[in-house]
């Protein structure tokens, strides 16, 4: 159980790091197609949580 909890925390941290990188590329105008897919999936995830 403890390993699973640690693993989930690592995944969250990795996701936060990736999100920050995508944000920086969007702000600087250097976003890639992969960044757009990441944003779409992130927004879809937020919508799924609401609905």
């Amino acid at each position: 159980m403890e390993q699973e909890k640690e693993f989930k925390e690592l995944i969250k941290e990795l996701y936060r790091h990736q999100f920050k990188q995508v944000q920086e590329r969007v702000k600087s105008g250097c976003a890639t197609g992969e960044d757009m897919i990441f944003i779409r999936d992130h927004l879809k995830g937020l919508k799924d949580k609401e609905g």
Side-chain angles (χ1 to χ4, degrees):
M1 276 310 266
E2 188 63 32
Q3 283 181 330
E4 186 177 327
K5 189 176 181 180
E6 288 177 23
F7 182 72
K8 287 182 180 181
E9 285 300 314
L10 285 172
I11 294 294
K12 284 181 185 178
E13 189 60 37
L14 180 64
Y15 188 84
R16 283 187 205 107
H17 180 71
Q18 186 176 5
F19 188 83
K20 287 178 185 176
Q21 287 181 323
V22 169
Q23 250 183 342
E24 288 303 312
R25 286 193 294 265
V26 168
K27 285 179 185 176
S28 67
C30 299
T32 65
E34 274 186 37
D35 294 338
M36 295 301 134
I37 291 169
F38 179 84
I39 292 166
R40 181 198 66 197
D41 291 347
H42 176 73
L43 293 174
K44 185 180 184 312
L46 292 177
K47 185 178 177 186
D48 289 347
K49 284 183 181 178
E50 291 175 358

